[in-house]
C-alpha cells in the first residue's frame, strides 16, 4: 500500500489486561487542517475562536487501549512505551465517566503512534480521539459520533475532527456551554481521494506545544483578531472547494489560511516560529511545481513539517521533488482516509 517507514499495522501488543477490568482498543487517524484552528474562546471547555476544516489521514494515527479497573488509583498514560502526562486524557475520561453514571473506576491508557510524536502531525488529535472511542467502548456506551467528537474536543480541539473520515468541519459553535462545538463530516474519502505527502523536516518533538502557543498568540499577537475574522470567513470557501472538488480554489484558500495562522503566531511575544529552512524550501518547491503545471498545495500545522496535497496521479512527481531538498529527511505518503474505529 505504501513504503513508509512509520506506517505500521496494529502490530503491537498491549500489556495484558487485569482480571475484572473493562477494556477496549481503538485506532484513530491523525488529521491535517486545511482551515486551521488557532486560538480558543474558552480555555476550560476548549472552545475554538474560529471553525476549522481538516482532511483525515489514512495511515497515520494512534492505537490506543483504555482499561478501567476498580483497583487503579489514578488515570495513567503510557505513550509509545513511556509514562506520559495524563492531564488531557483525564479530561476525556472524566467526560466519558460522566455519561456512565455508576462508574468511578480509573483507567490505564496505552497509546502508540505510528508516526513521530510531536512532529506537527497532531498526535493529540489521533491520541485523544482514540481515547474517547476506546473509553466509550470499554464502558459499553454507544454514543453518537458527534457526542464523541465533543468529548474528544475537551481533550484536544483537533481530536474532535478525527472521529470522522474524509473532509471534516469542526464548527465553532455559538453556545457558551460548547454543546454545539463539534465536528461533522463534509465529504467522504471517496468523494475526493487526494494524496497527502508529509515532508519530514524534523521528527523531534516541537518546541512549543500547541495549547500554550495558541494561548500566547491569543494573548500577545496584535494580529489575533484579524486572524480569527479571516479564518472564520475562509471556512465557507474551503468547504465549497472541497464539495466542488475545485483543486485550484482549495489550493489558494488553504495556503493562505495556513500562512495567516503562522504569521499571526510569529507576531506573538515571544514569537512562535515553527519553520526551519527546509520548511520554507518545501513551500518554495510546492509553489514552483504549481507554477510549472503540477497541481499541488502545502499546509503546515504547529511544527516544521510540510504536508502537501495533490491528486494521486501527481504524487510520485511531487514526492520526488520534495525528497531531494536538503533538510527534508523523508517524505511519507498517505491519502485521505476513514475516521476512528474500534480494533
Ligand atoms: C495547528 O488541537 O493540538 O494543528 O486544543 O490545545 O489541544 P489543543 O490544540 P491542538 O491544536 C492544533 C492546532 C493546529 C491546527 C489544527 O489542527 O486545526
Amino acid at each position: 500500500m505504501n513504503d513508509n517507514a512509520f506506517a505500521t499495522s496494529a502490530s503491537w501488543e498491549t500489556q495484558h489486561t487485569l482480571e475484572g477490568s473493562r477494556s477496549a482498543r481503538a485506532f484513530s487517524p491523525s488529521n491535517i487542517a486545511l482551515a486551521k484552528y488557532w486560538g480558543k474562546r474558552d480555555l476550560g471547555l476548549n472552545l475554538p475562536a474560529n471553525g476549522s476544516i481538516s482532511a483525515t489521514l489514512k495511515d497515520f494515527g494512534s492505537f490506543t487501549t483504555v482499561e478501567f479497573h476498580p483497583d487503579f488509583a489514578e488515570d495513567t498514560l503510557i505513550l509509545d512505551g513511556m509514562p506520559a502526562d495524563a492531564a488531557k486524557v483525564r479530561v476525556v475520561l472524566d467526560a466519558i465517566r460522566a455519561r456512565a453514571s455508576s462508574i468511578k473506576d480509573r483507567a490505564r491508557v496505552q497509546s502508540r503512534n505510528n508516526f513521530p510524536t510531536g512532529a506537527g502531525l497532531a498526535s493529540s488529535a489521533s491520541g485523544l480521539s482514540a481515547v474517547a472511542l476506546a473509553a466509550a467502548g470499554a464502558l459499553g456506551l454507544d454514543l453518537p459520533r458527534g457526542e464523541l467528537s465533543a468529548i474528544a474536543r475537551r481533550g484536544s480541539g483537533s481530536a474532535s475532527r478525527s472521529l470522522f473520515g474524509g473532509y471534516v468541519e469542526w464548527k465553532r459553535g455559538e453556545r457558551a456551554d460548547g454543546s454545539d462545538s463539534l465536528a461533522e463530516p463534509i465529504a467522504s474519502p471517496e468523494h475526493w481521494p487526494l494524496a497527502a505527502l508529509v515532508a519530514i523536516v524534523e521528527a523531534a518533538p516541537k518546541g512549543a506545544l500547541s495549547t500554550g502557543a495558541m494561548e500566547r498568540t491569543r494573548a500577545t499577537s496584535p494580529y489575533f483578531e484579524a486572524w480569527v475574522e479571516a479564518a472564520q470567513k475562509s471556512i465557507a470557501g474551503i468547504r465549497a472547494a472541497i464539495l466542488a472538488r475545485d483543486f485550484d480554489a482549495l489550493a489558494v484558500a488553504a495556503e493562505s489560511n495556513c500562512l495567516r495562522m503562522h504569521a499571526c503566531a510569529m507576531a506573538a511575544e515571544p514569537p512562535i516560529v515553527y519553520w526551519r529552512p527546509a520548511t520554507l524550501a518545501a513551500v518554495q518547491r510546492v509553489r514552483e511545481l504549481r507554477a510549472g503545471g503540477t497541481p499541488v498545495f502545502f499546509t503546515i500545522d504547529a511544527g516544521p513539517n510540510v504536508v502537501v496535497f495533490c491528486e494521486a496521479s501527481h504524487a510520485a512527481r511531487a514526492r520526488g521533488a520534495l525528497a531531494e531538498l536538503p533538510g527534508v529527511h523523508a517524505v511519507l505518503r498517505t491519502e485521505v482516509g476513514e475516521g476512528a474505529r474500534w480494533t
Side-chain angles (χ1 to χ4, degrees), residues 252-316:
V252 170
E255 287 187 357
S256 153
N257 177 288
C258 162
L259 294 173
R260 285 172 179 173
M261 178 206 118
H262 283 270
C264 182
M266 283 181 201
E269 281 173 16
I272 296 155
V273 183
Y274 288 112
W275 298 8
R276 301 289 175 268
T279 310
L280 196 50
V283 164
Q284 203 55 35
R285 182 53 60 90
V286 167
R287 293 165 73 104
E288 285 161 12
L289 281 167
R290 197 148 85 244
T294 305
V296 283
F297 70 86
F298 67 84
T299 189
I300 307 161
D301 272 348
N305 297 338
V306 179
V307 181
V308 174
F309 284 91
C310 59
E311 301 277 2
S313 56
H314 299 293

Side-chain angles (χ1 to χ4, degrees), residues 11-255:
S11 60
W12 65 289
E13 296 298 325
T14 60
Q15 234 170 297
H16 288 300
T17 47
L18 295 178
E19 197 167 324
S21 71
R22 280 184 280 188
S23 71
R25 195 168 99 129
F27 172 78
S28 186
S30 190
N31 67 73
I32 294 291
L34 303 171
K36 310 287 184 196
Y37 148 56
W38 196 252
K40 302 173 197 285
R41 71 174 200 276
D42 185 315
L43 199 53
L45 292 170
N46 208 26
L47 298 176
N50 57 274
S52 57
I53 293 178
S54 60
T56 302
L57 298 184
K58 184 174 173 191
D59 298 312
F60 307 130
S62 306
F63 296 98
T64 302
T65 300
V66 175
E67 181 188 8
F68 290 93
H69 195 283
D71 291 350
F72 291 156
E74 55 178 358
D75 295 321
T76 54
L77 169 65
I78 307 284
L79 180 60
D80 287 333
M82 302 287 287
D85 182 6
K88 290 186 171 194
V89 163
R90 196 167 301 128
V91 172
V92 173
L93 293 173
D94 281 344
I96 294 285
R97 276 187 289 251
R99 282 162 179 80
S101 44
S102 58
I103 307 292
K104 300 266 182 293
D105 294 0
R106 303 291 111 181
R108 175 167 68 186
V109 176
Q110 298 177 76
S111 193
R112 188 170 294 275
N113 297 322
N114 62 358
F115 57 81
T117 295
L121 266 180
S123 63
S124 64
S126 54
L128 288 153
S129 49
V131 171
L133 188 63
L139 297 183
L141 295 172
D142 189 16
L143 301 176
R145 284 280 157 150
E147 197 171 340
L148 285 169
S149 165
I151 290 171
R153 183 208 80 222
R154 298 287 302 270
S156 182
S158 51
S160 67
R161 299 183 306 236
S162 282
L163 269 310
F164 299 99
Y167 300 85
V168 183
E169 178 171 350
W170 171 21
K171 305 266 186 196
R172 175 193 187 277
E174 299 304 325
R175 293 187 207 138
D177 68 357
S179 54
D180 56 350
S181 185
L182 43 89
E184 50 187 55
I186 298 176
S188 69
E190 296 76 35
H191 166 76
W192 204 9
L194 290 180
L197 307 170
V198 186
I200 301 279
V201 168
E202 222 169 70
K206 60 197 166 194
L209 288 169
S210 313
T211 313
M214 216 182 265
E215 265 309 284
R216 199 200 307 165
T217 306
R218 187 193 56 73
T220 67
S221 176
Y223 306 147
F224 183 70
E225 275 170 34
W227 148 252
V228 170
E229 198 185 325
Q232 195 58 39
K233 272 195 197 139
S234 72
I235 293 288
I238 289 180
R239 190 198 304 118
I242 290 167
L243 287 171
R245 289 189 289 255
D246 184 339
F247 192 91
D248 290 345
L250 181 60
V252 170
E255 287 187 357

